[in-house]
Amino acid sequence: MQDQKITRPIADVKTGHRTLATFKALENEAKKLYMVVPLQGLPQPLTFLLADNLMPVEKEADMEEWETVLIPVRALAYLDSSKDKEKAAELKGGYLYVFWKGKLWRELQVTEFGYYKDIDSEYYRVRDQQERQKEQPVIEYREADGFDLPQFWVPYKIAGEVQAGESGVKLMFSPKQKTYQQIEALENDPAKLDAAATPLDELSVYSNSQAFEPQEHTADIQSAKLHQVTEDDMAWLTQQCAVFDQNVSSNTPVAYVEGHNKGFKVTLERGLEDENIGFVQEIYAILNDTKSEWQQSVLLEPSGDGSGHFIHGVFEGMPSDGDFSLYIASPCDPNSGEYVFLNKTYQQMMEPDQFEPFTPAPEKETVDTEENLKKEQRLEDLMSMWKKEALGIDI
């Protein structure tokens, strides 16, 4: 069997719209084709299997479009639920998840300058599976060891077959790193993945014109516009991106993703601090969407004015159609937990005068009704989730 060969793509001077990666002096036997991504400070690169059982072609062979094609993509984020391409921005934070054939294929961190850095997600997946066997598993943060990339490449056509539908590529953005439980929930539920991610099937327009154009989910980068971003928008969105500007003249498509441009600020009055105590209890706010797997916990911290009377936290990247419950808890007493409200829409949360906060029944009243039992069970379930995600306690 022939040893592995590595090559780099170079510009195709005959066409001008593509680069070609050519392997020379191949033996006439079936080959596996990989995309290789170097990692910083690590001897072995990331390898992404693209195709198996590929046969070499004659040296003189030439095709208007070769049977295996990768396409470079940049992501733009919608600023609101209208999905209006006139209201989109660049990303300067968060994570992109590329699903291929229904499975996570590539995970990328978005840098503050708009570059993409690969994460060895399969390495961390194995570690996560091992961690889950422990009595008290801890969720590990996954480091991005890839180099800064101005685009990320995705498979468009493999061995003559356009990758679309169930075999297609889907792209999803998340302001915070997804846990493997969340990733696996998407992998195991095609409908949930379809609802959360952007399909890239429209890249097939490339075969017709060797270029891209505005469509429902994608566009050519020349026609893409960046909307103004204000202080009211989330911190991972920007209208200024040098990487975007540098690629405007390239044959690069953009894919539009949900920008999660929603936030909810929680403020809690905790009274005066006693300087003699020397220890201030940490307090977390936990927001959960009862319609999905989305949950987020934030540490409530002073605003920095020195008073310490109020502590604050901001929830980010909330689902647009969620049904939310908010509660407060402290790691000093992991069995504590108190609801602020139950089952409110985002609009109701932003207009607190429109609803009454959830109030537990007085002690003298009976609490063994079916409704209260459900609330108690819900609180117990949420506390278990929070202990696992925020504190690393699995019960």
Side-chain angles (χ1 to χ4, degrees), residues 1-61:
M1 181 176 292
Q2 189 174 20
D3 292 338
Q4 70 176 18
K5 286 181 174 287
I6 299 177
T7 190
R8 294 177 179 274
I10 59 175
D12 183 2
V13 295
K14 294 181 180 179
T15 64
H17 65 80
R18 67 184 183 186
T19 58
L20 294 177
T22 305
F23 296 90
K24 299 180 179 180
L26 295 179
E27 295 180 3
N28 191 30
E29 59 185 17
K31 306 291 183 182
K32 291 184 178 181
L33 178 65
Y34 294 87
M35 181 178 71
V36 177
V37 177
L39 298 176
Q40 300 182 67
L42 296 175
Q44 298 298 322
L46 278 179
T47 55
F48 299 93
L49 179 64
L50 295 171
D52 203 352
N53 293 319
L54 290 182
M55 294 301 296
V57 297
E58 295 295 330
K59 181 179 179 181
E60 295 78 14

Short mmCIF file of all heavy atoms in Angstrom, two decimals, residues 1-61:
data_model
loop_
_atom_site.label_atom_id
_atom_site.label_comp_id
_atom_site.label_asym_id
_atom_site.label_seq_id
_atom_site.Cartn_x
_atom_site.Cartn_y
_atom_site.Cartn_z
N MET A 1 0.85 -1.20 0.00
CA MET A 1 0.00 0.00 0.00
C MET A 1 0.88 1.25 0.00
O MET A 1 1.87 1.33 0.73
CB MET A 1 -0.93 0.01 1.21
CG MET A 1 -1.85 1.21 1.27
SD MET A 1 -3.02 1.14 2.65
CE MET A 1 -4.05 -0.23 2.11
N GLN A 2 0.53 2.20 -0.84
CA GLN A 2 1.32 3.42 -0.98
C GLN A 2 1.24 4.29 0.27
O GLN A 2 0.21 4.37 0.93
CB GLN A 2 0.82 4.21 -2.19
CG GLN A 2 1.70 5.39 -2.57
CD GLN A 2 1.24 6.04 -3.87
OE1 GLN A 2 0.10 5.86 -4.27
NE2 GLN A 2 2.14 6.76 -4.53
N ASP A 3 2.38 4.93 0.62
CA ASP A 3 2.40 5.84 1.76
C ASP A 3 1.51 7.04 1.50
O ASP A 3 1.21 7.38 0.35
CB ASP A 3 3.84 6.31 2.03
CG ASP A 3 4.73 5.17 2.53
OD1 ASP A 3 4.18 4.19 3.05
OD2 ASP A 3 5.96 5.28 2.36
N GLN A 4 1.10 7.70 2.59
CA GLN A 4 0.23 8.85 2.45
C GLN A 4 0.94 10.00 1.73
O GLN A 4 2.16 10.15 1.81
CB GLN A 4 -0.26 9.33 3.81
CG GLN A 4 0.80 9.97 4.67
CD GLN A 4 0.22 10.51 5.97
OE1 GLN A 4 -0.86 10.14 6.38
NE2 GLN A 4 0.94 11.39 6.62
N LYS A 5 0.17 10.78 1.02
CA LYS A 5 0.69 11.97 0.34
C LYS A 5 -0.09 13.20 0.80
O LYS A 5 -1.30 13.11 1.06
CB LYS A 5 0.58 11.83 -1.18
CG LYS A 5 1.60 10.87 -1.79
CD LYS A 5 1.43 10.80 -3.28
CE LYS A 5 2.55 9.96 -3.92
NZ LYS A 5 3.84 10.69 -3.92
N ILE A 6 0.60 14.31 0.91
CA ILE A 6 -0.01 15.57 1.34
C ILE A 6 0.24 16.61 0.26
O ILE A 6 1.33 16.70 -0.30
CB ILE A 6 0.57 16.04 2.68
CG1 ILE A 6 0.29 15.00 3.77
CG2 ILE A 6 -0.02 17.39 3.08
CD1 ILE A 6 0.89 15.34 5.12
N THR A 7 -0.76 17.39 -0.05
CA THR A 7 -0.61 18.46 -1.03
C THR A 7 -1.37 19.70 -0.56
O THR A 7 -2.21 19.62 0.34
CB THR A 7 -1.14 18.01 -2.41
OG1 THR A 7 -0.77 18.99 -3.38
CG2 THR A 7 -2.65 17.87 -2.39
N ARG A 8 -1.07 20.81 -1.15
CA ARG A 8 -1.73 22.07 -0.83
C ARG A 8 -2.45 22.59 -2.07
O ARG A 8 -1.95 22.43 -3.19
CB ARG A 8 -0.73 23.13 -0.36
CG ARG A 8 -0.08 22.79 0.97
CD ARG A 8 0.95 23.86 1.35
NE ARG A 8 1.58 23.59 2.62
CZ ARG A 8 1.10 23.95 3.80
NH1 ARG A 8 -0.04 24.61 3.86
NH2 ARG A 8 1.75 23.66 4.91
N PRO A 9 -3.61 23.22 -1.91
CA PRO A 9 -4.31 23.77 -3.08
C PRO A 9 -3.59 24.98 -3.64
O PRO A 9 -3.03 25.79 -2.88
CB PRO A 9 -5.68 24.15 -2.51
CG PRO A 9 -5.45 24.36 -1.05
CD PRO A 9 -4.36 23.41 -0.66
N ILE A 10 -3.57 25.08 -4.95
CA ILE A 10 -2.99 26.25 -5.61
C ILE A 10 -4.01 26.78 -6.62
O ILE A 10 -4.89 26.05 -7.08
CB ILE A 10 -1.66 25.91 -6.32
CG1 ILE A 10 -1.87 24.81 -7.37
CG2 ILE A 10 -0.61 25.49 -5.32
CD1 ILE A 10 -0.64 24.51 -8.20
N ALA A 11 -3.89 28.04 -6.96
CA ALA A 11 -4.86 28.67 -7.86
C ALA A 11 -4.84 28.00 -9.23
O ALA A 11 -3.77 27.69 -9.77
CB ALA A 11 -4.54 30.15 -7.99
N ASP A 12 -6.01 27.78 -9.78
CA ASP A 12 -6.15 27.22 -11.12
C ASP A 12 -6.11 28.39 -12.11
O ASP A 12 -7.08 29.14 -12.26
CB ASP A 12 -7.47 26.47 -11.23
CG ASP A 12 -7.65 25.80 -12.59
OD1 ASP A 12 -6.72 25.91 -13.42
OD2 ASP A 12 -8.70 25.18 -12.83
N VAL A 13 -4.99 28.54 -12.78
CA VAL A 13 -4.80 29.69 -13.67
C VAL A 13 -5.72 29.64 -14.88
O VAL A 13 -5.98 30.66 -15.52
CB VAL A 13 -3.32 29.78 -14.12
CG1 VAL A 13 -2.42 30.06 -12.93
CG2 VAL A 13 -2.88 28.49 -14.83
N LYS A 14 -6.25 28.47 -15.20
CA LYS A 14 -7.12 28.34 -16.37
C LYS A 14 -8.51 28.92 -16.12
O LYS A 14 -9.15 29.41 -17.05
CB LYS A 14 -7.25 26.86 -16.77
CG LYS A 14 -5.95 26.23 -17.26
CD LYS A 14 -6.21 24.79 -17.65
CE LYS A 14 -4.92 24.12 -18.13
NZ LYS A 14 -5.16 22.70 -18.50
N THR A 15 -8.98 28.85 -14.89
CA THR A 15 -10.35 29.25 -14.61
C THR A 15 -10.45 30.52 -13.76
O THR A 15 -11.31 31.37 -13.99
CB THR A 15 -11.11 28.13 -13.88
OG1 THR A 15 -10.49 27.90 -12.60
CG2 THR A 15 -11.06 26.84 -14.68
N GLY A 16 -9.60 30.64 -12.74
CA GLY A 16 -9.62 31.82 -11.89
C GLY A 16 -10.63 31.78 -10.77
O GLY A 16 -10.59 32.58 -9.85
N HIS A 17 -11.60 30.83 -10.81
CA HIS A 17 -12.64 30.79 -9.79
C HIS A 17 -12.42 29.69 -8.76
O HIS A 17 -13.23 29.50 -7.86
CB HIS A 17 -14.03 30.61 -10.42
CG HIS A 17 -14.21 29.29 -11.12
ND1 HIS A 17 -14.49 28.12 -10.44
CD2 HIS A 17 -14.14 28.96 -12.44
CE1 HIS A 17 -14.59 27.13 -11.30
NE2 HIS A 17 -14.39 27.60 -12.52
N ARG A 18 -11.31 28.96 -8.88
CA ARG A 18 -11.10 27.83 -7.97
C ARG A 18 -9.61 27.61 -7.74
O ARG A 18 -8.75 28.14 -8.44
CB ARG A 18 -11.71 26.56 -8.55
CG ARG A 18 -11.01 26.07 -9.83
CD ARG A 18 -11.71 24.87 -10.44
NE ARG A 18 -10.99 24.37 -11.62
CZ ARG A 18 -11.43 23.40 -12.40
NH1 ARG A 18 -12.61 22.83 -12.15
NH2 ARG A 18 -10.73 23.00 -13.44
N THR A 19 -9.33 26.81 -6.71
CA THR A 19 -7.98 26.29 -6.48
C THR A 19 -8.04 24.78 -6.65
O THR A 19 -9.11 24.16 -6.51
CB THR A 19 -7.48 26.63 -5.06
OG1 THR A 19 -8.39 26.08 -4.10
CG2 THR A 19 -7.37 28.14 -4.87
N LEU A 20 -6.91 24.18 -6.95
CA LEU A 20 -6.84 22.74 -7.17
C LEU A 20 -5.81 22.12 -6.24
O LEU A 20 -4.70 22.64 -6.10
CB LEU A 20 -6.47 22.42 -8.62
CG LEU A 20 -7.49 22.80 -9.70
CD1 LEU A 20 -6.94 22.48 -11.09
CD2 LEU A 20 -8.82 22.06 -9.49
N ALA A 21 -6.19 21.02 -5.60
CA ALA A 21 -5.26 20.22 -4.81
C ALA A 21 -4.96 18.96 -5.61
O ALA A 21 -5.85 18.12 -5.82
CB ALA A 21 -5.86 19.89 -3.46
N THR A 22 -3.74 18.83 -6.09
CA THR A 22 -3.37 17.74 -7.00
C THR A 22 -2.37 16.81 -6.35
O THR A 22 -1.34 17.26 -5.81
CB THR A 22 -2.77 18.31 -8.30
OG1 THR A 22 -3.70 19.24 -8.88
CG2 THR A 22 -2.49 17.20 -9.30
N PHE A 23 -2.68 15.52 -6.37
CA PHE A 23 -1.75 14.50 -5.88
C PHE A 23 -1.10 13.83 -7.09
O PHE A 23 -1.80 13.39 -8.01
CB PHE A 23 -2.51 13.44 -5.06
CG PHE A 23 -3.13 13.99 -3.80
CD1 PHE A 23 -4.42 14.49 -3.82
CD2 PHE A 23 -2.43 14.01 -2.61
CE1 PHE A 23 -5.01 14.99 -2.68
CE2 PHE A 23 -3.00 14.50 -1.46
CZ PHE A 23 -4.29 15.00 -1.48
N LYS A 24 0.22 13.75 -7.08
CA LYS A 24 0.95 13.20 -8.22
C LYS A 24 1.56 11.84 -7.88
O LYS A 24 1.77 11.51 -6.72
CB LYS A 24 2.05 14.17 -8.64
CG LYS A 24 1.53 15.54 -9.08
CD LYS A 24 2.66 16.47 -9.48
CE LYS A 24 2.13 17.83 -9.92
NZ LYS A 24 3.22 18.76 -10.31
N ALA A 25 1.81 11.08 -8.92
CA ALA A 25 2.48 9.78 -8.82
C ALA A 25 1.74 8.83 -7.88
O ALA A 25 2.35 8.18 -7.02
CB ALA A 25 3.94 9.96 -8.38
N LEU A 26 0.44 8.74 -8.06
CA LEU A 26 -0.35 7.83 -7.24
C LEU A 26 -0.42 6.46 -7.89
O LEU A 26 -0.53 6.34 -9.12
CB LEU A 26 -1.77 8.37 -7.07
CG LEU A 26 -1.94 9.67 -6.30
CD1 LEU A 26 -3.41 10.06 -6.26
CD2 LEU A 26 -1.40 9.55 -4.89
N GLU A 27 -0.35 5.43 -7.06
CA GLU A 27 -0.54 4.08 -7.57
C GLU A 27 -2.03 3.86 -7.85
O GLU A 27 -2.90 4.47 -7.23
CB GLU A 27 -0.03 3.07 -6.55
CG GLU A 27 1.47 3.17 -6.33
CD GLU A 27 1.98 2.16 -5.31
OE1 GLU A 27 1.14 1.35 -4.82
OE2 GLU A 27 3.17 2.19 -4.98
N ASN A 28 -2.30 2.98 -8.78
CA ASN A 28 -3.68 2.74 -9.21
C ASN A 28 -4.40 1.82 -8.21
O ASN A 28 -4.63 0.64 -8.46
CB ASN A 28 -3.70 2.13 -10.61
CG ASN A 28 -5.11 2.11 -11.19
OD1 ASN A 28 -5.92 2.98 -10.88
ND2 ASN A 28 -5.38 1.12 -12.03
N GLU A 29 -4.73 2.40 -7.08
CA GLU A 29 -5.44 1.68 -6.02
C GLU A 29 -6.36 2.64 -5.30
O GLU A 29 -6.17 3.86 -5.35
CB GLU A 29 -4.45 1.06 -5.04
CG GLU A 29 -3.56 2.08 -4.36
CD GLU A 29 -2.49 1.45 -3.47
OE1 GLU A 29 -2.24 0.24 -3.63
OE2 GLU A 29 -1.91 2.17 -2.65
N ALA A 30 -7.37 2.11 -4.63
CA ALA A 30 -8.35 2.96 -3.93
C ALA A 30 -7.68 3.76 -2.82
O ALA A 30 -6.80 3.26 -2.10
CB ALA A 30 -9.47 2.10 -3.36
N LYS A 31 -8.11 5.02 -2.69
CA LYS A 31 -7.51 5.93 -1.72
C LYS A 31 -8.56 6.51 -0.79
O LYS A 31 -9.75 6.63 -1.14
CB LYS A 31 -6.82 7.10 -2.44
CG LYS A 31 -5.80 6.71 -3.49
CD LYS A 31 -4.57 6.07 -2.87
CE LYS A 31 -3.54 5.75 -3.95
NZ LYS A 31 -2.34 5.09 -3.36
N LYS A 32 -8.12 6.91 0.40
CA LYS A 32 -8.92 7.71 1.30
C LYS A 32 -8.46 9.15 1.19
O LYS A 32 -7.26 9.41 1.10
CB LYS A 32 -8.77 7.23 2.75
CG LYS A 32 -9.40 5.88 3.03
CD LYS A 32 -9.28 5.52 4.51
CE LYS A 32 -9.96 4.19 4.80
NZ LYS A 32 -9.88 3.84 6.25
N LEU A 33 -9.42 10.06 1.19
CA LEU A 33 -9.10 11.48 1.06
C LEU A 33 -9.47 12.20 2.35
O LEU A 33 -10.59 12.09 2.84
CB LEU A 33 -9.85 12.11 -0.11
CG LEU A 33 -9.63 13.60 -0.33
CD1 LEU A 33 -8.18 13.90 -0.72
CD2 LEU A 33 -10.57 14.14 -1.40
N TYR A 34 -8.51 12.95 2.90
CA TYR A 34 -8.72 13.69 4.13
C TYR A 34 -8.46 15.17 3.90
O TYR A 34 -7.65 15.56 3.05
CB TYR A 34 -7.76 13.21 5.23
CG TYR A 34 -7.98 11.81 5.71
CD1 TYR A 34 -7.36 10.73 5.06
CD2 TYR A 34 -8.77 11.54 6.82
CE1 TYR A 34 -7.54 9.43 5.51
CE2 TYR A 34 -8.96 10.24 7.28
CZ TYR A 34 -8.34 9.19 6.62
OH TYR A 34 -8.51 7.91 7.06
N MET A 35 -9.15 16.00 4.68
CA MET A 35 -8.78 17.41 4.80
C MET A 35 -7.96 17.54 6.09
O MET A 35 -8.38 17.04 7.14
CB MET A 35 -10.02 18.30 4.88
CG MET A 35 -9.69 19.79 4.99
SD MET A 35 -11.18 20.84 5.03
CE MET A 35 -11.80 20.46 6.68
N VAL A 36 -6.82 18.19 5.99
CA VAL A 36 -5.89 18.27 7.11
C VAL A 36 -5.82 19.71 7.60
O VAL A 36 -5.63 20.64 6.81
CB VAL A 36 -4.49 17.77 6.71
CG1 VAL A 36 -3.51 17.93 7.86
CG2 VAL A 36 -4.56 16.30 6.28
N VAL A 37 -5.98 19.91 8.93
CA VAL A 37 -5.94 21.23 9.52
C VAL A 37 -4.85 21.25 10.60
O VAL A 37 -4.97 20.54 11.61
CB VAL A 37 -7.30 21.61 10.16
CG1 VAL A 37 -7.21 22.98 10.84
CG2 VAL A 37 -8.40 21.61 9.10
N PRO A 38 -3.77 22.02 10.42
CA PRO A 38 -2.70 22.08 11.43
C PRO A 38 -3.20 22.68 12.74
O PRO A 38 -4.13 23.50 12.76
CB PRO A 38 -1.64 22.99 10.77
CG PRO A 38 -1.98 23.01 9.32
CD PRO A 38 -3.46 22.84 9.24
N LEU A 39 -2.57 22.28 13.83
CA LEU A 39 -2.90 22.78 15.16
C LEU A 39 -1.66 23.45 15.76
O LEU A 39 -0.54 22.98 15.58
CB LEU A 39 -3.37 21.65 16.07
CG LEU A 39 -4.64 20.91 15.64
CD1 LEU A 39 -4.93 19.75 16.58
CD2 LEU A 39 -5.83 21.86 15.56
N GLN A 40 -1.89 24.52 16.49
CA GLN A 40 -0.79 25.27 17.09
C GLN A 40 -0.15 24.48 18.22
O GLN A 40 -0.83 24.03 19.14
CB GLN A 40 -1.29 26.61 17.64
CG GLN A 40 -1.90 27.52 16.59
CD GLN A 40 -2.34 28.84 17.16
OE1 GLN A 40 -1.52 29.66 17.58
NE2 GLN A 40 -3.64 29.05 17.21
N GLY A 41 1.17 24.33 18.15
CA GLY A 41 1.91 23.70 19.23
C GLY A 41 1.73 22.21 19.35
O GLY A 41 2.20 21.61 20.32
N LEU A 42 1.05 21.59 18.39
CA LEU A 42 0.82 20.15 18.45
C LEU A 42 1.41 19.48 17.21
O LEU A 42 1.30 20.02 16.10
CB LEU A 42 -0.68 19.85 18.55
CG LEU A 42 -1.37 20.36 19.82
CD1 LEU A 42 -2.87 20.12 19.74
CD2 LEU A 42 -0.80 19.69 21.06
N PRO A 43 2.04 18.32 17.37
CA PRO A 43 2.71 17.68 16.22
C PRO A 43 1.75 17.11 15.19
O PRO A 43 2.06 17.08 14.00
CB PRO A 43 3.53 16.57 16.89
CG PRO A 43 2.81 16.26 18.16
CD PRO A 43 2.23 17.57 18.62
N GLN A 44 0.58 16.65 15.65
CA GLN A 44 -0.36 16.02 14.73
C GLN A 44 -1.50 16.97 14.38
O GLN A 44 -2.08 17.60 15.26
CB GLN A 44 -0.94 14.74 15.35
CG GLN A 44 0.10 13.67 15.63
CD GLN A 44 0.80 13.19 14.37
OE1 GLN A 44 0.18 13.06 13.31
NE2 GLN A 44 2.09 12.94 14.47
N PRO A 45 -1.85 17.08 13.11
CA PRO A 45 -2.95 17.96 12.70
C PRO A 45 -4.30 17.28 12.90
O PRO A 45 -4.38 16.08 13.17
CB PRO A 45 -2.67 18.17 11.22
CG PRO A 45 -2.05 16.87 10.78
CD PRO A 45 -1.22 16.41 11.96
N LEU A 46 -5.36 18.05 12.75
CA LEU A 46 -6.70 17.49 12.68
C LEU A 46 -6.90 16.89 11.30
O LEU A 46 -6.49 17.47 10.29
CB LEU A 46 -7.76 18.58 12.89
CG LEU A 46 -8.10 19.00 14.31
CD1 LEU A 46 -9.15 20.10 14.27
CD2 LEU A 46 -8.61 17.82 15.11
N THR A 47 -7.52 15.72 11.23
CA THR A 47 -7.81 15.10 9.94
C THR A 47 -9.31 14.85 9.83
O THR A 47 -9.90 14.25 10.74
CB THR A 47 -7.04 13.78 9.76
OG1 THR A 47 -7.34 12.91 10.85
CG2 THR A 47 -5.54 14.04 9.71
N PHE A 48 -9.90 15.31 8.75
CA PHE A 48 -11.33 15.13 8.50
C PHE A 48 -11.50 14.23 7.28
O PHE A 48 -11.11 14.62 6.17
CB PHE A 48 -12.01 16.48 8.25
CG PHE A 48 -11.93 17.43 9.41
CD1 PHE A 48 -10.91 18.36 9.49
CD2 PHE A 48 -12.89 17.40 10.42
CE1 PHE A 48 -10.84 19.25 10.55
CE2 PHE A 48 -12.82 18.28 11.49
CZ PHE A 48 -11.80 19.21 11.55
N LEU A 49 -12.04 13.05 7.48
CA LEU A 49 -12.24 12.13 6.37
C LEU A 49 -13.30 12.68 5.42
O LEU A 49 -14.42 12.99 5.84
CB LEU A 49 -12.66 10.75 6.87
CG LEU A 49 -12.93 9.69 5.79
CD1 LEU A 49 -11.66 9.39 5.01
CD2 LEU A 49 -13.50 8.42 6.42
N LEU A 50 -12.94 12.79 4.15
CA LEU A 50 -13.87 13.29 3.14
C LEU A 50 -14.46 12.18 2.29
O LEU A 50 -15.66 12.17 1.99
CB LEU A 50 -13.16 14.30 2.23
CG LEU A 50 -12.68 15.60 2.89
CD1 LEU A 50 -11.81 16.39 1.93
CD2 LEU A 50 -13.86 16.44 3.35
N ALA A 51 -13.61 11.24 1.88
CA ALA A 51 -14.09 10.19 0.97
C ALA A 51 -13.24 8.95 1.13
O ALA A 51 -12.07 9.01 1.51
CB ALA A 51 -14.07 10.69 -0.46
N ASP A 52 -13.85 7.82 0.81
CA ASP A 52 -13.17 6.53 0.84
C ASP A 52 -13.27 5.90 -0.54
O ASP A 52 -14.18 6.19 -1.31
CB ASP A 52 -13.83 5.64 1.90
CG ASP A 52 -12.89 4.56 2.40
OD1 ASP A 52 -11.79 4.41 1.83
OD2 ASP A 52 -13.26 3.85 3.35
N ASN A 53 -12.32 5.05 -0.85
CA ASN A 53 -12.35 4.29 -2.11
C ASN A 53 -12.35 5.19 -3.34
O ASN A 53 -13.05 4.92 -4.33
CB ASN A 53 -13.56 3.35 -2.15
CG ASN A 53 -13.46 2.24 -1.12
OD1 ASN A 53 -12.39 1.68 -0.91
ND2 ASN A 53 -14.58 1.96 -0.45
N LEU A 54 -11.58 6.26 -3.31
CA LEU A 54 -11.41 7.10 -4.50
C LEU A 54 -10.31 6.51 -5.37
O LEU A 54 -9.26 6.11 -4.87
CB LEU A 54 -11.03 8.52 -4.10
CG LEU A 54 -12.09 9.38 -3.42
CD1 LEU A 54 -11.53 10.77 -3.15
CD2 LEU A 54 -13.34 9.48 -4.28
N MET A 55 -10.54 6.50 -6.66
CA MET A 55 -9.54 5.99 -7.60
C MET A 55 -8.83 7.14 -8.31
O MET A 55 -9.46 8.14 -8.67
CB MET A 55 -10.20 5.08 -8.63
CG MET A 55 -10.78 3.80 -8.06
SD MET A 55 -9.54 2.76 -7.24
CE MET A 55 -8.47 2.35 -8.63
N PRO A 56 -7.53 7.04 -8.51
CA PRO A 56 -6.79 8.09 -9.23
C PRO A 56 -7.26 8.20 -10.68
O PRO A 56 -7.85 7.28 -11.24
CB PRO A 56 -5.34 7.61 -9.17
CG PRO A 56 -5.29 6.61 -8.05
CD PRO A 56 -6.64 5.97 -8.03
N VAL A 57 -7.00 9.37 -11.28
CA VAL A 57 -7.33 9.59 -12.69
C VAL A 57 -6.04 9.76 -13.46
O VAL A 57 -4.95 9.91 -12.89
CB VAL A 57 -8.23 10.84 -12.86
CG1 VAL A 57 -9.56 10.64 -12.16
CG2 VAL A 57 -7.52 12.09 -12.35
N GLU A 58 -6.14 9.72 -14.79
CA GLU A 58 -4.96 9.90 -15.63
C GLU A 58 -4.37 11.30 -15.43
O GLU A 58 -5.10 12.26 -15.14
CB GLU A 58 -5.33 9.71 -17.10
CG GLU A 58 -5.77 8.30 -17.46
CD GLU A 58 -4.66 7.29 -17.29
OE1 GLU A 58 -3.47 7.68 -17.46
OE2 GLU A 58 -4.96 6.12 -16.98
N LYS A 59 -3.08 11.41 -15.58
CA LYS A 59 -2.38 12.66 -15.36
C LYS A 59 -2.93 13.77 -16.23
O LYS A 59 -3.01 14.94 -15.82
CB LYS A 59 -0.89 12.47 -15.61
CG LYS A 59 -0.04 13.71 -15.40
CD LYS A 59 1.42 13.43 -15.66
CE LYS A 59 2.26 14.67 -15.46
NZ LYS A 59 3.70 14.41 -15.74
N GLU A 60 -3.33 13.43 -17.45
CA GLU A 60 -3.81 14.45 -18.40
C GLU A 60 -5.28 14.79 -18.20
O GLU A 60 -5.82 15.68 -18.89
CB GLU A 60 -3.60 13.96 -19.84
CG GLU A 60 -2.14 13.77 -20.24
CD GLU A 60 -1.54 12.48 -19.68
OE1 GLU A 60 -2.34 11.62 -19.22
OE2 GLU A 60 -0.32 12.35 -19.66
N ALA A 61 -5.96 14.14 -17.28
CA ALA A 61 -7.40 14.34 -17.11
C ALA A 61 -7.69 15.77 -16.64
O ALA A 61 -6.92 16.36 -15.88
CB ALA A 61 -7.95 13.34 -16.10
#
